[in-house]
Amino acid sequence: MFKLALQLGCTVGELCDRLSFDEFIDWLAYDGIDPFGGFRQDIQTATLLYAKVGQGSLTDYLPIDPNPMSEEMRERYEYEQALKNSEKEARQLAQMLGRLEDKANKH
């Protein structure tokens, strides 16, 4: 609510008086697709720095962690990512072996 009020140049009280619930929900959806405000500016600045320097990852240039997690949450996330990558690599390997087997059977 505060970010929207700031963006529209009014107080939160004024915004509450003139904004319907349905329109507020629409603004939330819009912000999810195309965010505005400080975080968006941080992303734009980080993108420019990343393009200029060309090293690391985009998140290295953000002043805050865009996805703050506890150590436990981060370990779980990294485990799940590694598992997904392993499953993807296993599927790719199985497809490659299947193609090789098909070629061998044709000859």
Side-chain angles (χ1 to χ4, degrees):
M1 219 34 176
F2 287 91
K3 188 166 83 167
L4 181 58
L6 181 65
Q7 191 72 19
L8 296 177
C10 62
T11 67
V12 172
E14 292 168 341
L15 184 60
C16 288
D17 287 342
R18 68 182 205 207
L19 187 68
S20 71
F21 180 76
D22 289 339
E23 186 178 356
F24 178 66
I25 296 301
D26 290 343
W27 274 107
L28 286 176
Y30 175 79
D31 186 53
I33 296 168
D34 188 15
F36 51 84
F39 186 66
R40 175 61 180 246
Q41 292 165 346
D42 289 346
I43 292 172
Q44 291 169 335
T45 302
T47 302
L48 291 173
L49 287 169
Y50 175 69
K52 177 87 171 145
V53 176
Q55 293 178 341
S57 70
L58 182 63
T59 56
D60 294 338
Y61 299 94
L62 287 171
I64 60 167
D65 186 350
N67 192 14
M69 296 183 220
S70 68
E71 194 60 35
E72 238 176 57
M73 291 168 68
R74 185 170 304 283
E75 286 175 8
R76 179 70 183 164
Y77 173 77
E78 289 172 358
Y79 172 78
E80 289 172 357
Q81 290 302 110
L83 187 62
K84 285 180 186 176
N85 288 339
S86 295
E87 289 170 350
K88 180 181 174 185
E89 289 172 5
R91 280 192 303 275
Q92 290 172 338
L93 182 59
Q95 288 174 347
M96 183 182 75
L97 292 174
R99 284 192 296 263
L100 290 175
E101 187 177 17
D102 289 345
K103 283 183 183 179
N105 289 337
K106 286 181 183 178
H107 295 293

